[in-house]
Amino acid sequence: MAADTLIHDMELPFQLYDVLNAESLCKHEKFADHSRETFDAVLDTAHKMAAKLFLPHNHIADKQEPTFDGKKVSMLGDVKVAFDAFREAGFIAGRYAFEDGGMQLPESVMTAVSGYFMAANPSTTAYPFLTSAAINVISHFASDELKAQFMPKMLTGDFTGTMALTEPHAGSSLADIRTTAVKQDDGTYRIKGSKIYISGGEHELSDNIVHLVLAKVPGGPAGVKGISLMVVPKYRLDENGDPSERNDVQLAGLLHKLGYRGTTSTALTFGENDDCHGYLVGEEHFGLRYMFMMMNEARIGVGFGAAMIGYRGYQYALDFAKDRTQGRVAPNNKPEDAPAPIIFHGDVKRMLLAQKAYSEGGMALCLYGSNLIDRINTCADAEEKQGLQELLDLLTPVLKAWPSEFGPKANDLGIQVLGGSGYTREYLSEQFWRDNRLNPIHEGTNGIQALDLTFRKLWQKNGLGLKILQKEIQSHLGAITTGESSQMAKKLGGYLAKLHELLTHVAGAIQSDKQITLSANAQAMMNAFATIVVSWIWIRQASVAEKLLVDAQSESAKAFYLGKVQAAKYFIDWELPLIERDLQLLHNNNDVCAQMQPDWF
Amino acid sequence: MAADTLIHDMELPFQLYDVLNAESLCKHEKFADHSRETFDAVLDTAHKMAAKLFLPHNHIADKQEPTFDGKKVSMLGDVKVAFDAFREAGFIAGRYAFEDGGMQLPESVMTAVSGYFMAANPSTTAYPFLTSAAINVISHFASDELKAQFMPKMLTGDFTGTMALTEPHAGSSLADIRTTAVKQDDGTYRIKGSKIYISGGEHELSDNIVHLVLAKVPGGPAGVKGISLMVVPKYRLDENGDPSERNDVQLAGLLHKLGYRGTTSTALTFGENDDCHGYLVGEEHFGLRYMFMMMNEARIGVGFGAAMIGYRGYQYALDFAKDRTQGRVAPNNKPEDAPAPIIFHGDVKRMLLAQKAYSEGGMALCLYGSNLIDRINTCADAEEKQGLQELLDLLTPVLKAWPSEFGPKANDLGIQVLGGSGYTREYLSEQFWRDNRLNPIHEGTNGIQALDLTFRKLWQKNGLGLKILQKEIQSHLGAITTGESSQMAKKLGGYLAKLHELLTHVAGAIQSDKQITLSANAQAMMNAFATIVVSWIWIRQASVAEKLLVDAQSESAKAFYLGKVQAAKYFIDWELPLIERDLQLLHNNNDVCAQMQPDWF
């Protein structure tokens, strides 16, 4: 059983070049030194490194999770080997400018690169990825001085980064955080408080750990408007910028998770001895705004990771289904016939097709989102740029929530394909399933994403993002005139009209006493909207595949394109119609959930 | 946090007495010595025992799973304490006649009894339950001699039982098993072969383990028609019927499972030294038939267990949601207000309501199934009895598959309600989720249940079961004339008409070249049919609750009944409409899954 397939050889080139036309980015000055060849070389390096250094210890790190002896965190040595290879290859700085030591690669290519690592070993990959996310915030909002102190060493991975948002009592409710940052005469701050679920919050992989901490500067406004963002290193820097004195940040303990066990999840105490130094990012009280402005990338990362774990589970189940024989398939269903590989059984095909539709759909969705960032970054027209930015904002909750809802569903079906074997820890399906269960929870639970979509993103800037989305979809669907894609486009067209009608209704509900009812039905809004977007993403893949099919030479290429068309058909026939339920609930202002009372449970 | 709620105090009395009118069984001779009081006494004993002896080690046994040192299996001592209390209370023999040392209790009451144990600790509960299942087969089909040898000691739990069906190479395909049983001059058989995933296949809880082994007697027909059923004890019995010589059954190894870790799952080798004695049950070549005739009870057990694990997760999440404060709820959403318990948030209500609908729906469905067994057992009219038997046969795949699909969904939502806490092993939600993941796989995968329903059960005896089901549903729905239940009944009526139409179509497809297409869509048939059945089960609960509401005195009783009505409404509004998709797929003979080719993946 060749269970080590990370990604089908044609998948990422198809997505990047055939669907998203990523090569066209090279016309822009920023990416002028790049070409398909340089992109491919980076992808190839990522593939080899992921297969050689990340994949082999994925399961081992799950069984031997990091430990804390009260002084030091220990983990499997393979994690550091992989992390070092990753940083030495320059991947942490991949998206940054040449002059910063980066590779100046497009976001979409970097997302594709991340695919190999996420498929191979999401836990080890978390360390450099969290660092990238922290760099992203610092690079945009910190002062030049702060940037100079921390960014170069984070870009090389000498320092790693974390995002320290959540507190034990507050969970998703950041308005209620209690960590304080008190300004000192020298302009630094003293931090005091507790944070929880801080991934990568302690380890020995790097020389320093740079925590981005949300805290309240006393005297600020109540709620989310009074939150500031602080850089809080594990070690303070000496005059040469090297780590020296230990800052007053302590590991209170490691959390023991269901999955993603290779990544330390920590409870951290800041300022237990009143000596935790922090440095303000940007201005006081704007911290949450900075954080959220950088959430787009982080949330695409979560969504794409969830799709990739789902995809890995799919490939694993696929290999199993081709190999494992059981029973017979009509019309050859006589007991004396040899047993058939289970991939020939109709219900197994259904389960694999669903996994393909969910995971490749999530990948394509998030690559589209990354490509939007590239389009924003290379857009010369200010108005168009704003429109694309609004589109990205609108799609961000979908990019996070849809793949993290459906990636785990793919992993669930992956277990089912393996049957009894899937329920044992001797096979990997169950680990994929456990690992992926994190994704609907972190970086804003999917419930919060649904509220964000329903009450904010759909209407932001007078619905500009929505208008741009409709334009993108219409211009694409309108161009499809033949083939199975055109039939699918027609089906989707009907739902787009229904969505349009529904949004008028929902806009009214938000302004009325139906707001509370709607808040209990936000998940239905997310289902309907996200399914329509992903349907489009699938039809887009199918239409490209149908075009390429005409001149495809090899049998394997033909098979790949036919598979894309079939998965799109699956999505349109099996998934899209489910939103009738959601449209109906929303249209009727269904109040069953909202009216439920706590003591009725 | 009072996280130890096993079952809401009103739940089982409501189901048993108000919905199923279980007291009426006492009019029948068989149950004449019973009354609501004796039923309640048994339920009360079960509740206390489950809470005291099963619940406390549920999580510990998950962390300290059984081990095998090459000679002996060791497990947590608490398991034996609980098992002994269970058997000493007479629960293994609960459904058997007084003269056999049993309590002569109805099946529905025994199912309710099992609820406490399944909620508290499914792994430890598996040992006595597997024994009950084995007794059920032996009592119906074994010779008097074999019965006399094994049944009494199994009824007391001195001997435990297993079902040894699956083989490593064959999985679900029992036609391909290779274990042989060769007849000896003394009438006994020599067994040779390997079995896998045998739950409770080895342990030190009892004096003997009685394996029910499917094997082929050489010379029999190929496929499933040539399978015989053998009793194969771990220790052969001496002339006094006591365990003496070790039989040639060896533990090849323990399997390490994702969940249900407290139950040993074993690979067993029979006859490695050509000295494994087995005793034929019934006649040669009829083994699979015997096994399947007893599957109804076993499959209700799996379905009910899945519902109960889902229910426990729901209760756990409910306690958490009442206790945990986070954020504010409109219209009190000013930052200076105190945070609200998360149960007041709309999306949390939705998640809890879904869990309630799934788990209580599954419980009610399986209790209805158990009650059907009681009705069959007490039915004097031969024709009516046959109809009820057909109805039970028809529903069996639904009773197994629906709760084992939706119980785990409830557990998934349970994790989501807990958020970050739900992802840690410090909380129990993740264990419930892992434990329940077994249920869609064992006792016939849910894919196989869908095929069984679609190709066999719907049409068995000219669709007699279906006719009886329609009669049951119509007579019940017709009697609902007022309240919210009557509106729900009206909605369901529309779907019943659609189902009727669809079945005519599907009957045609089975007889045509669309059979293969249909086999890939069997899951859609299961979805549609099961959702309609469960909708009826929910409306039935709601209609009873609405009646009781009129005279309800206490606030807590009113709240309970209102909750039932609301959960029914949730099911009718949020779940039932989803089957439009399935009806459409089946009606169109949608061939997307069937047409998918292995090399297109």
Side-chain angles (χ1 to χ4, degrees):
Chain A
M1 181 177 166
D4 289 349
T5 310
L6 290 181
I7 308 180
H8 188 297
D9 285 343
M10 293 186 66
E11 186 65 37
L12 290 175
F14 174 77
Q15 300 276 4
L16 275 182
Y17 307 126
D18 298 323
V19 177
L20 294 174
N21 194 14
E23 285 164 278
S24 70
L25 291 169
C26 304
K27 288 184 213 146
H28 189 273
E29 193 191 348
K30 190 175 177 189
F31 303 119
D33 286 348
H34 282 296
S35 63
R36 175 158 177 168
E37 284 65 38
T38 63
F39 295 162
D40 281 346
V42 175
L43 285 165
D44 187 54
T45 304
H47 186 177
K48 285 183 180 136
M49 187 183 293
K52 193 175 156 201
L53 298 177
F54 283 70
L55 183 66
H57 70 278
N58 187 37
H59 194 48
I60 304 168
D62 179 67
K63 285 184 284 190
Q64 298 172 33
E65 63 190 320
T67 54
F68 178 48
D69 62 6
K71 289 181 185 164
K72 214 177 115 172
V73 168
S74 308
M75 64 176 74
L76 201 66
D78 299 349
V79 178
K80 181 149 176 61
V81 173
F83 175 75
D84 284 343
F86 189 95
R87 71 194 194 88
E88 281 158 20
F91 282 128
I92 296 177
R95 53 171 67 74
Y96 289 88
F98 294 125
E99 61 263 32
D100 294 328
M103 294 193 260
Q104 211 156 311
L105 282 163
E107 195 65 28
S108 48
V109 174
M110 284 307 296
T111 299
V113 160
S114 78
Y116 286 110
F117 296 103
M118 289 303 302
N121 189 330
S123 289
T124 294
T125 301
Y127 297 104
F129 279 22
L130 288 162
T131 305
S132 296
I135 297 170
N136 200 15
V137 177
I138 293 173
S139 73
H140 277 81
F141 303 110
S143 66
D144 288 343
E145 191 193 343
L146 212 51
K147 277 198 250 185
Q149 285 179 300
F150 291 98
M151 261 190 64
K153 291 198 170 155
M154 292 177 80
L155 284 166
T156 56
D158 289 310
F159 294 1
T160 50
T162 79
M163 307 282 229
L165 285 68
T166 308
E167 299 189 5
H169 67 288
S172 302
S173 183
L174 293 173
D176 294 314
I177 62 165
R178 292 176 192 152
T179 296
T180 53
V182 178
K183 194 168 183 178
Q184 308 297 303
D185 293 340
D186 64 357
T188 67
Y189 290 75
R190 290 300 168 275
I191 315 297
K192 202 172 174 66
S194 297
K195 296 284 177 179
I196 197 168
Y197 304 133
I198 310 310
S199 295
E202 185 59 88
H203 54 72
E204 303 285 321
L205 297 172
S206 57
D207 300 337
N208 204 354
I209 300 176
V210 181
H211 305 289
L212 286 176
V213 179
L214 288 183
K216 288 187 171 174
V217 176
V224 289
K225 285 173 190 154
I227 295 174
S228 302
L229 182 63
M230 300 283 154
V231 163
V232 183
K234 177 177 170 186
Y235 296 100
R236 289 175 222 147
L237 307 186
D238 64 18
E239 52 209 9
N240 301 320
D242 293 321
S244 60
E245 222 177 330
R246 188 72 163 79
N247 203 2
D248 184 13
V249 186
Q250 308 296 336
L251 177 64
L254 293 178
L255 298 159
H256 297 99
K257 302 192 298 301
L258 168 57
Y260 249 99
R261 295 192 187 181
T263 311
T264 51
S265 181
T266 61
L268 297 176
T269 309
F270 295 86
E272 200 165 28
N273 305 308
D274 297 320
D275 195 30
C276 180
H277 294 221
Y279 316 107
L280 179 69
V281 174
E283 292 176 50
E284 286 185 356
H285 314 319
F286 281 78
L288 205 63
R289 205 175 302 179
Y290 303 148
M291 209 53 128
F292 276 129
M293 285 169 78
M294 291 299 99
M295 278 289 170
N296 290 340
E297 282 91 334
R299 286 180 172 165
I300 292 176
V302 171
F304 191 70
M308 289 314 309
I309 301 173
Y311 185 83
R312 175 83 204 286
Y314 157 54
Q315 290 294 328
Y316 192 86
L318 181 58
D319 283 337
F320 183 92
K322 286 177 176 172
D323 190 60
R324 170 79 170 168
T325 62
Q326 237 187 89
R328 281 127 201 102
V329 180
N332 301 308
N333 45 359
K334 294 182 288 296
E336 56 271 26
D337 291 327
I342 62 169
I343 198 170
F344 288 98
H345 290 292
D347 193 56
V348 174
K349 287 186 185 182
R350 177 188 66 81
M351 291 192 283
L352 289 169
L353 201 45
Q355 290 171 69
K356 183 177 169 73
Y358 299 160
S359 60
E360 294 178 10
M363 288 162 73
L365 174 70
C366 293
L367 284 166
Y368 171 77
S370 299
N371 188 249
L372 268 184
I373 298 177
D374 293 328
R375 286 165 67 191
I376 292 165
N377 288 341
T378 56
C379 183
D381 181 292
E383 198 188 334
E384 190 188 336
K385 190 171 183 141
Q386 201 207 355
L388 292 173
Q389 183 62 55
E390 285 302 316
L391 174 55
L392 178 63
D393 271 8
L394 167 65
L395 289 180
T396 294
V398 176
L399 295 167
K400 192 274 168 176
W402 193 86
S404 70
E405 209 62 35
F406 284 80
K409 275 194 216 293
N411 293 118
D412 185 71
L413 289 167
I415 291 178
Q416 195 68 17
V417 168
L418 268 77
S421 300
Y423 200 66
T424 68
R425 276 131 59 203
E426 276 80 10
Y427 289 79
L428 301 184
S429 301
E430 61 91 20
Q431 186 190 342
F432 305 144
W433 184 68
R434 286 186 290 104
D435 285 349
N436 219 354
R437 187 64 188 80
L438 175 62
N439 287 315
I441 297 171
H442 73 160
E443 285 288 342
T445 66
N446 285 358
I448 284 180
Q449 303 299 331
L451 292 173
D452 183 38
L453 176 72
T454 306
F455 287 93
R456 201 161 28 154
K457 294 299 177 61
L458 283 169
W459 324 106
Q460 195 169 283
K461 297 257 162 64
N462 270 323
L464 177 58
L466 194 62
K467 283 189 201 95
I468 305 295
L469 177 67
Q470 282 167 333
K471 228 171 87 179
E472 292 255 316
I473 296 180
Q474 297 293 6
S475 79
H476 171 249
L477 294 187
I480 304 173
T481 51
T482 57
E484 307 211 68
S485 313
S486 90
Q487 291 167 45
M488 291 186 243
K490 209 174 144 191
K491 280 187 196 165
L492 181 58
Y495 283 99
L496 282 169
K498 286 183 192 180
L499 177 68
H500 188 78
E501 204 177 303
L502 176 72
L503 287 174
T504 310
H505 173 80
V506 169
I510 287 183
Q511 302 301 328
S512 75
D513 61 349
K514 299 293 179 204
Q515 202 186 50
I516 294 172
T517 299
L518 184 61
S519 80
N521 296 341
Q523 190 58 52
M525 188 69 240
M526 173 60 90
N527 286 344
F529 186 74
T531 303
I532 283 176
V533 171
V534 178
S535 294
W536 164 55
I537 291 285
W538 260 116
I539 294 172
R540 191 173 165 157
Q541 292 187 74
S543 67
V544 172
E546 284 199 294
K547 269 189 203 142
L548 294 170
L549 203 47
V550 178
D551 296 317
Q553 297 300 321
S554 72
E555 287 308 311
S556 63
K558 281 182 201 164
F560 178 83
Y561 298 133
L562 287 167
K564 283 289 180 190
V565 176
Q566 203 72 4
K569 286 164 71 177
Y570 171 84
F571 201 85
I572 299 301
D573 289 354
W574 283 73
E575 300 294 330
L576 180 56
L578 291 175
I579 70 167
E580 290 282 4
R581 185 271 313 253
D582 303 303
L583 298 172
Q584 210 175 334
L585 285 170
L586 292 163
H587 195 83
N588 299 342
N589 298 319
N590 187 288
D591 66 355
V592 171
C593 295
Q595 289 300 317
M596 185 70 182
Q597 299 304 308
D599 62 340
W600 295 0
F601 282 109
Chain B
M1 184 176 165
D4 290 349
T5 311
L6 291 180
I7 308 179
H8 187 297
D9 285 343
M10 292 185 69
E11 187 64 37
L12 290 174
F14 174 78
Q15 300 276 3
L16 275 182
Y17 307 125
D18 298 323
V19 178
L20 295 173
N21 194 14
E23 286 165 277
S24 70
L25 291 168
C26 304
K27 288 183 213 148
H28 189 272
E29 191 191 350
K30 189 174 177 192
F31 304 118
D33 286 348
H34 282 295
S35 62
R36 176 160 176 167
E37 284 64 38
T38 63
F39 296 162
D40 281 345
V42 176
L43 285 164
D44 187 54
T45 304
H47 186 177
K48 285 183 180 137
M49 188 183 292
K52 192 175 158 201
L53 298 177
F54 283 70
L55 182 66
H57 71 279
N58 187 38
H59 194 48
I60 305 168
D62 179 66
K63 286 184 283 190
Q64 299 172 31
E65 62 191 322
T67 54
F68 178 48
D69 62 6
K71 288 180 185 166
K72 210 177 120 173
V73 168
S74 308
M75 65 176 74
L76 201 67
D78 298 349
V79 179
K80 181 148 175 64
V81 173
F83 175 77
D84 283 344
F86 190 97
R87 71 194 194 88
E88 280 159 20
F91 282 128
I92 297 177
R95 53 172 65 74
Y96 290 88
F98 295 126
E99 61 263 33
D100 294 327
M103 293 193 262
Q104 211 156 312
L105 282 163
E107 195 65 27
S108 47
V109 174
M110 283 308 294
T111 299
V113 159
S114 78
Y116 287 110
F117 296 102
M118 288 303 300
N121 189 330
S123 289
T124 295
T125 301
Y127 297 104
F129 279 20
L130 288 162
T131 304
S132 295
I135 297 169
N136 201 14
V137 177
I138 294 173
S139 73
H140 278 81
F141 303 110
S143 66
D144 287 344
E145 192 193 344
L146 212 49
K147 276 198 254 186
Q149 283 180 300
F150 290 98
M151 260 190 64
K153 289 196 172 156
M154 292 177 81
L155 284 167
T156 57
D158 289 309
F159 293 1
T160 51
T162 80
M163 307 284 228
L165 284 68
T166 308
E167 299 188 4
H169 68 288
S172 302
S173 184
L174 293 172
D176 293 315
I177 63 165
R178 293 176 191 151
T179 296
T180 53
V182 177
K183 193 166 184 176
Q184 308 298 303
D185 293 342
D186 65 357
T188 67
Y189 291 75
R190 290 299 168 274
I191 314 297
K192 201 173 175 65
S194 298
K195 296 282 178 180
I196 197 168
Y197 304 132
I198 310 310
S199 295
E202 185 58 86
H203 54 72
E204 303 285 323
L205 297 172
S206 57
D207 299 338
N208 205 354
I209 301 176
V210 181
H211 305 288
L212 285 176
V213 178
L214 289 184
K216 287 185 171 175
V217 176
V224 289
K225 286 174 189 154
I227 295 174
S228 301
L229 182 63
M230 300 284 156
V231 161
V232 183
K234 177 177 171 186
Y235 296 100
R236 291 175 219 147
L237 307 185
D238 65 17
E239 53 206 7
N240 302 320
D242 292 319
S244 61
E245 222 177 329
R246 188 71 161 80
N247 202 4
D248 183 13
V249 186
Q250 306 298 336
L251 178 62
L254 293 178
L255 298 158
H256 298 100
K257 299 192 299 302
L258 168 56
Y260 250 102
R261 295 191 186 180
T263 311
T264 52
S265 180
T266 61
L268 297 176
T269 310
F270 296 86
E272 200 165 29
N273 305 308
D274 297 321
D275 195 30
C276 180
H277 294 222
Y279 316 106
L280 180 69
V281 175
E283 291 176 51
E284 285 184 359
H285 313 317
F286 280 78
L288 204 62
R289 203 174 305 182
Y290 302 148
M291 209 51 126
F292 278 128
M293 284 170 77
M294 290 299 101
M295 278 288 169
N296 290 341
E297 281 91 333
R299 288 182 171 165
I300 293 175
V302 171
F304 191 71
M308 288 315 306
I309 300 173
Y311 184 83
R312 175 82 202 287
Y314 157 55
Q315 290 294 327
Y316 192 85
L318 181 59
D319 284 337
F320 183 92
K322 286 178 177 171
D323 189 59
R324 169 79 170 168
T325 63
Q326 238 187 89
R328 282 123 201 105
V329 180
N332 302 308
N333 44 358
K334 293 181 289 295
E336 56 272 24
D337 290 329
I342 62 170
I343 197 168
F344 287 97
H345 290 291
D347 193 57
V348 174
K349 287 185 185 182
R350 177 189 65 82
M351 292 192 281
L352 289 169
L353 201 45
Q355 290 171 68
K356 182 176 170 75
Y358 299 160
S359 60
E360 294 177 10
M363 286 161 74
L365 174 70
C366 293
L367 284 165
Y368 171 77
S370 299
N371 187 251
L372 268 183
I373 298 176
D374 292 327
R375 286 163 68 189
I376 292 165
N377 288 342
T378 56
C379 184
D381 181 292
E383 196 187 336
E384 189 187 337
K385 189 171 183 140
Q386 201 205 355
L388 292 173
Q389 183 63 55
E390 286 301 317
L391 174 56
L392 178 63
D393 271 8
L394 167 65
L395 289 180
T396 294
V398 176
L399 295 168
K400 193 273 171 180
W402 193 86
S404 70
E405 209 62 33
F406 284 80
K409 275 193 216 292
N411 293 118
D412 185 71
L413 289 167
I415 290 178
Q416 195 68 17
V417 168
L418 268 75
S421 302
Y423 199 66
T424 67
R425 277 129 62 204
E426 276 79 11
Y427 289 80
L428 302 183
S429 301
E430 61 91 20
Q431 184 189 343
F432 305 144
W433 185 66
R434 286 186 290 104
D435 284 349
N436 219 353
R437 189 62 190 82
L438 175 63
N439 288 314
I441 297 172
H442 73 160
E443 284 289 340
T445 66
N446 285 358
I448 284 179
Q449 303 300 330
L451 291 172
D452 183 38
L453 176 73
T454 307
F455 289 93
R456 201 161 30 156
K457 294 297 176 63
L458 283 169
W459 324 107
Q460 194 169 284
K461 297 259 162 65
N462 271 324
L464 177 58
L466 194 62
K467 282 189 201 96
I468 305 295
L469 176 66
Q470 283 166 333
K471 227 170 89 179
E472 293 255 316
I473 296 180
Q474 298 292 7
S475 80
H476 170 248
L477 294 187
I480 304 173
T481 50
T482 57
E484 307 211 68
S485 312
S486 91
Q487 292 167 45
M488 293 187 245
K490 209 174 145 191
K491 282 187 193 163
L492 181 59
Y495 284 98
L496 282 168
K498 287 183 190 181
L499 177 68
H500 188 77
E501 204 178 301
L502 176 74
L503 287 174
T504 310
H505 173 81
V506 169
I510 288 183
Q511 302 301 327
S512 75
D513 60 351
K514 298 296 179 202
Q515 202 185 48
I516 294 172
T517 299
L518 184 62
S519 80
N521 297 341
Q523 190 57 53
M525 187 70 239
M526 173 60 90
N527 287 343
F529 185 73
T531 303
I532 284 175
V533 170
V534 178
S535 294
W536 164 56
I537 291 286
W538 259 117
I539 295 171
R540 190 171 167 161
Q541 290 187 73
S543 67
V544 173
E546 284 199 295
K547 268 188 205 143
L548 294 170
L549 202 47
V550 178
D551 296 318
Q553 297 300 320
S554 72
E555 287 309 308
S556 63
K558 282 181 200 164
F560 178 84
Y561 298 133
L562 288 167
K564 283 289 179 192
V565 176
Q566 203 72 3
K569 286 165 70 178
Y570 171 85
F571 200 84
I572 299 302
D573 289 353
W574 284 73
E575 301 294 330
L576 180 56
L578 292 175
I579 70 167
E580 290 282 2
R581 186 272 310 259
D582 302 302
L583 298 172
Q584 209 175 334
L585 285 170
L586 292 162
H587 195 82
N588 298 343
N589 298 318
N590 186 289
D591 66 356
V592 171
C593 295
Q595 289 301 317
M596 185 69 183
Q597 298 303 309
D599 62 342
W600 296 0
F601 281 108

